[in-house]
């Protein structure tokens, strides 16, 4: 099983429909983690206006991810929302692609900081650890070099969140990044027939 995080910035991208089709077609079982997209961005805007704490913003942003999840499932009938690991496994056994609704699992885990330092990228790696997934693929809206990149450099450039290195150290599998333009290579990457666009290393 793979965990594929679909960046929230793809919400209005012409590549989004292709990604959803490819994610449903691949033979590898996978769980989709949605970014928060405009739904999480709105939380940032409202927090800046009213100054409420990060704990409230964290809970709201998680539900922003769930709004994105519902949108993806509505766009691609083969995808179904799933809040717990058992629901994900049931969806996979039924030939469906589960899209994670994160708030129930994340808010029940006190070790996950209620902070903007933790975004859907870190949560994807955390979920992969919980599910004993084979690997994690992060789909980004930027061009990426074909290379291995250190996580610190990616954090400093803003491509990964500030907490990501801590989650990466606890996940034994590979973590890869791909540009949104390369959905056609998804199956080859997950099957090991083609190298990842960017391999993330500590």
């Amino acid at each position: 099983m793979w965990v594929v995080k679909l960046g929230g910035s793809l919400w209005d991208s012409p590549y989004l429909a292709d990604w959803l089709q490819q994610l449903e077609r691949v033979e590898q079982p996978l769980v989709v983690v949605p970014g928060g997209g405009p739904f999480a961005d709105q939380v940032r805007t409202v927090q800046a206006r009213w100054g409420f704490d990060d704990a409230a913003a964290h809970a709201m942003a998680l539900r922003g991810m769930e709004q994105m999840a519902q949108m993806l499932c509505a766009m691609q009938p083969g995808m179904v929302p799933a809040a717990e690991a058992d629901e994900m496994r049931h969806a996979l056994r039924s030939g469906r692609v589960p899209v994670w609704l994160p708030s129930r699992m994340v808010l029940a885990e006190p070790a996950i900081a209620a902070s903007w330092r933790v975004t859907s990228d870190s949560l994807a790696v955390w979920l992969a650890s919980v599910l004993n997934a084979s690997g994690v693929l992060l789909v980004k809206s930027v061009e990426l070099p074909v290379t291995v990149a250190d996580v610190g450099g990616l954090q400093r450039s803003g491509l990964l969140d500030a907490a990501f290195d801590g989650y990466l150290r606890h996940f034994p599998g590979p973590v890869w990044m791909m540009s949104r333009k390369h959905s056609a290579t998804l199956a080859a990457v997950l099957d090991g027939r083609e190298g990842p666009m960017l391999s993330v290393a500590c």
Side-chain angles (χ1 to χ4, degrees):
M1 177 199 302
W2 277 77
V3 170
V4 178
K5 185 262 178 164
L6 202 59
S9 57
L10 271 74
W11 76 273
D12 64 346
S13 168
Y15 299 102
L16 179 58
D18 287 340
W19 270 104
L20 297 181
Q21 292 169 13
Q22 293 294 338
L23 288 165
E24 187 175 349
R25 288 173 184 163
V26 295
E27 295 183 3
Q28 286 269 11
L30 55 85
V31 175
V32 174
V33 172
F39 309 106
D41 290 342
Q42 190 62 28
V43 175
R44 294 177 187 270
T45 299
V46 176
Q47 185 187 27
R49 170 67 178 86
W50 293 108
F52 50 79
D53 62 24
D54 281 354
H58 176 69
M60 293 166 69
L62 290 171
R63 290 179 173 88
M65 291 173 62
E66 296 184 350
Q67 294 297 310
M68 185 78 170
Q70 296 288 354
M71 184 186 89
L72 300 180
C73 293
M75 292 175 63
Q76 194 70 26
M79 294 184 169
V80 292
E84 301 279 1
D86 286 347
E87 294 176 18
M88 297 173 200
R89 296 186 181 101
H90 176 74
L92 291 170
R93 288 194 299 268
S94 302
R96 313 290 289 279
V97 178
V99 183
W100 189 32
L101 305 177
S103 62
R104 189 183 306 171
M105 291 178 68
V106 173
L107 294 176
E109 177 49 72
I112 298 177
S115 165
W116 288 111
R117 289 173 52 84
V118 179
T119 70
S120 51
D121 286 339
S122 283
L123 294 178
V125 178
W126 176 82
L127 180 65
S129 296
V130 171
L131 298 175
N132 294 314
S134 300
V136 178
L137 177 64
L138 308 174
V139 181
K140 296 287 186 176
S141 293
V142 297
E143 287 299 324
L144 302 167
V146 183
T147 185
V148 175
D150 71 282
V151 66
L154 293 170
Q155 288 173 304
R156 288 189 294 274
S157 69
L159 282 176
L160 293 173
D161 63 61
F164 192 87
D165 54 336
Y167 290 93
L168 184 61
R169 281 194 292 269
H170 291 92
F171 179 65
V175 176
W176 297 340
M177 297 172 69
M178 286 177 64
S179 167
R180 63 182 181 178
K181 294 183 180 180
H182 300 289
S183 61
T185 66
L186 174 65
V189 169
L190 296 184
D191 290 340
R193 292 180 281 112
E194 184 169 324
M197 302 307 297
L198 183 64
S199 181
V200 181
C202 286

